[in-house]
Amino acid sequence: MRLRSLLQMPGLGLTLVSGRHHLDREIRWVVPTDLRDPRRYLSGGELVLTGMMWRRAERDSDAFVRNLIAAGVTALGAGDHPEFHSVPGDLVDACALHDLPLLAVDAEVAFAEITERVVQRLSTARSGDLASLLDRHRQLIAADGIGQILELIRVELGMECLVLSPAGRALRGGLRLSETERDAVVARAHEADRLPQRVTLDRHRCHSVFGVGPTLHTGRFLVVDDDHTRWPPERRLVAEQLSALLMLELDDPAQRPAPHVELVTALKEGRVEEHLMRSAGLPADGPVTVIVARGEPEALRETVVAETVAGAAGGDDPLAAPVAAWATHGEETVAVLTGPGAAAAERTALVAWARRCAGVLSSAGRPALGAVSVGLADPVRSLEGLPGALEQARHTAALAQPAPGRVDVAEPDHLVSHRMLLAAVEPGVRHTFRTRVLQPLLDYDERHRSDLLVTLRRFLECDGSWRQCALSLHLHVNTVRYRMRRVEELTGRDLRNPLDRMDLALAVSLD
């Protein structure tokens, strides 16, 4: 029951002293106590009734209230002390300071009567909740298909929901979130050690994200437009059971059909035949793009490939099924993509989508788990060109430069850029070059909490345009000029000199 309902019960002689903004708090049980520290007998959500026998001095009130706050109680009822005709001011002040709702109990009302009335009310409510829960169980068992499960969530939990892919694609559901909001939700979910998690998108909206899958890397996410931390245990149980049902309905992306595995195996052996393409559900003619991912963890490597091929077909359109086959074979995850996204004219969009997935899924990684490199090949138009496309994708993946615990994507254009030259240089030499060029900049940023390196990177990306750099960083042009002068002073390079600018660009690319 809520604190508001308690105050409305007739004959209990309760008066709210403080905490009017907490009237919707739930009361789970009632505990009368006069112990100075009753925490060992509390588990959270209780209405504590006290006769204040623990109070020997004014400072005792603050210590008592601190103990109740630590135990997570809902409210405090004070009264029934022979020496006090009203609640002492020091107890009122302590409850106000620690934001604990305080009720004054009429001296004519016994704690036993309050306890009996509240427990009777709670027991009746829980009997009704149990019957409702059993009815929900019957509905859950009878539910068939994702649509029915999502409708149960809407009806039984009274809220809209949305199922997201590991990279933030909207799969099913009526909850409307922008792309930026979806990215924020899945990033928070990937960073969490366990689910569900509370996600605050702005000060007016709070959502909860539940896991729908065996791991945070490969599973989907169920987002509901409410704060689960305020739910009673029964409601949370229903949400978790619905999430488990969704997991059964949605296929596990780590489990690929046998024809997909057979096709990828044949491709790695250099033999691709028409019947293998058709058995994997792919047309034998038309443009084909090969994608290769290497590194650990394997779940993250497979998921970024699955998200790339899915997004290439329809982006956020859940009904656009990708025409692709992919599987893990040895230390590589290989995808063969045809149809939407595979043609040369669509490669820019494919690369952009792959980078977006990599950016979102990088938050799922941890430095101790290594890194994942993804490479894309140029499209080919015949089966004979597939082995060559695989080799190109492998070479491209080798040019990717993921930081520990993250994902990086390289494209065929990098095979004719400085990335190819840098890939042939020993890692120790690359690290030494970057340190010599950028260390003064890094030290300055750390000491002054400035953004010289960020500004330099954007300045180089804008091809040395002061105005474009300032606009992209939302800065004044003079601020960009000042920062670039400081970069020149610290690094000893002249940004007007093409060779010096090349040194800085190469060092920044090694970041």
Side-chain angles (χ1 to χ4, degrees), residues 110-432:
F111 284 174
E113 182 179 351
I114 297 174
T115 301
E116 181 180 356
R117 293 274 302 277
V118 174
V119 169
Q120 183 181 25
R121 176 79 169 266
L122 289 172
S123 299
T124 302
R126 286 177 181 173
S127 296
D129 286 343
L130 180 59
S132 176
L133 185 61
L134 291 174
D135 182 59
R136 287 191 188 113
H137 274 287
R138 286 191 290 269
Q139 295 182 58
L140 291 176
I141 294 172
D144 181 20
I146 298 173
Q148 289 189 20
I149 297 174
L150 296 183
E151 180 64 15
L152 275 175
I153 295 175
R154 190 184 69 80
V155 173
E156 297 299 331
L157 299 183
M159 62 193 68
E160 293 292 344
C161 63
L162 179 65
V163 180
L164 296 179
S165 76
R169 281 187 302 116
L171 300 178
R172 294 286 294 273
L175 179 62
R176 302 300 178 189
L177 297 177
S178 67
E179 180 178 305
T180 302
E181 291 171 336
R182 297 198 305 269
D183 287 350
V185 168
V186 296
R188 179 74 177 90
H190 284 309
E191 291 167 357
D193 293 325
R194 61 181 180 178
L195 295 176
Q197 284 287 322
R198 170 180 169 175
V199 181
T200 303
L201 297 178
D202 57 49
R203 62 181 181 177
H204 301 297
R205 293 189 302 159
C206 183
H207 295 71
S208 296
V209 54
F210 292 78
V212 184
T215 71
L216 291 181
H217 299 308
T218 62
R220 277 81 159 187
F221 302 108
L222 171 65
V223 186
V224 297
D225 60 342
D226 197 14
D227 180 3
H228 74 279
T229 62
R230 299 172 60 88
W231 294 355
E234 294 83 358
R235 192 181 203 194
R236 184 163 170 172
L237 176 61
V238 170
E240 291 173 349
Q241 289 175 330
L242 289 166
S243 299
L245 277 181
L246 281 174
M247 181 177 66
L248 296 176
E249 289 290 336
L250 293 165
D251 65 319
D252 182 356
Q255 303 298 323
R256 306 310 304 161
H260 289 204
V261 178
E262 187 177 1
L263 173 62
V264 170
T265 302
L267 175 58
K268 297 188 72 170
E269 294 174 354
R271 53 176 187 85
V272 180
E273 301 173 3
E274 286 191 17
H275 75 276
L276 293 176
M277 293 283 287
R278 292 196 178 95
S279 65
L282 277 61
D285 55 353
V288 183
T289 291
V290 177
I291 304 171
V292 168
R294 291 174 169 173
E296 297 296 336
E298 183 177 312
L300 182 58
R301 175 186 3 133
E302 292 183 333
T303 301
V304 72
V305 170
E307 287 295 294
T308 297
V309 298
D316 281 344
D317 182 359
L319 301 178
V323 185
W326 62 270
T328 294
H329 190 281
E331 299 179 354
E332 292 180 329
T333 298
V334 178
V336 178
L337 173 66
T338 68
E346 300 167 314
R347 196 184 70 186
T348 301
L350 174 61
V351 172
W353 182 262
R355 290 192 179 282
R356 178 187 180 280
C357 294
V360 175
L361 292 169
S362 285
S363 59
R366 301 290 187 271
L369 296 177
V372 174
S373 301
V374 181
L376 287 77
D378 284 315
V380 295
R381 301 197 64 86
S382 66
L383 298 183
E384 291 75 15
L386 276 176
L390 174 61
E391 287 304 313
Q392 185 187 40
R394 284 171 169 167
H395 287 303
T396 306
L399 300 182
Q401 300 169 357
R406 299 184 68 83
V407 181
D408 188 31
V409 178
E411 55 184 299
D413 288 348
H414 293 155
L415 291 171
V416 290
S417 72
H418 67 277
R419 277 201 176 197
M420 185 173 181
L421 295 176
L422 291 175
V425 179
E426 289 292 331
V429 177
R430 295 200 300 267
H431 176 74
T432 299

Side-chain angles (χ1 to χ4, degrees), residues 10-32:
L12 291 187
L14 299 175
T15 304
L16 182 66
V17 178
S18 65
R20 184 170 300 276
H21 55 295
H22 287 312
L23 290 180
D24 287 327
R25 280 190 174 183
E26 294 282 347
I27 297 174
R28 189 183 59 82
W29 206 244
V30 185
V31 176

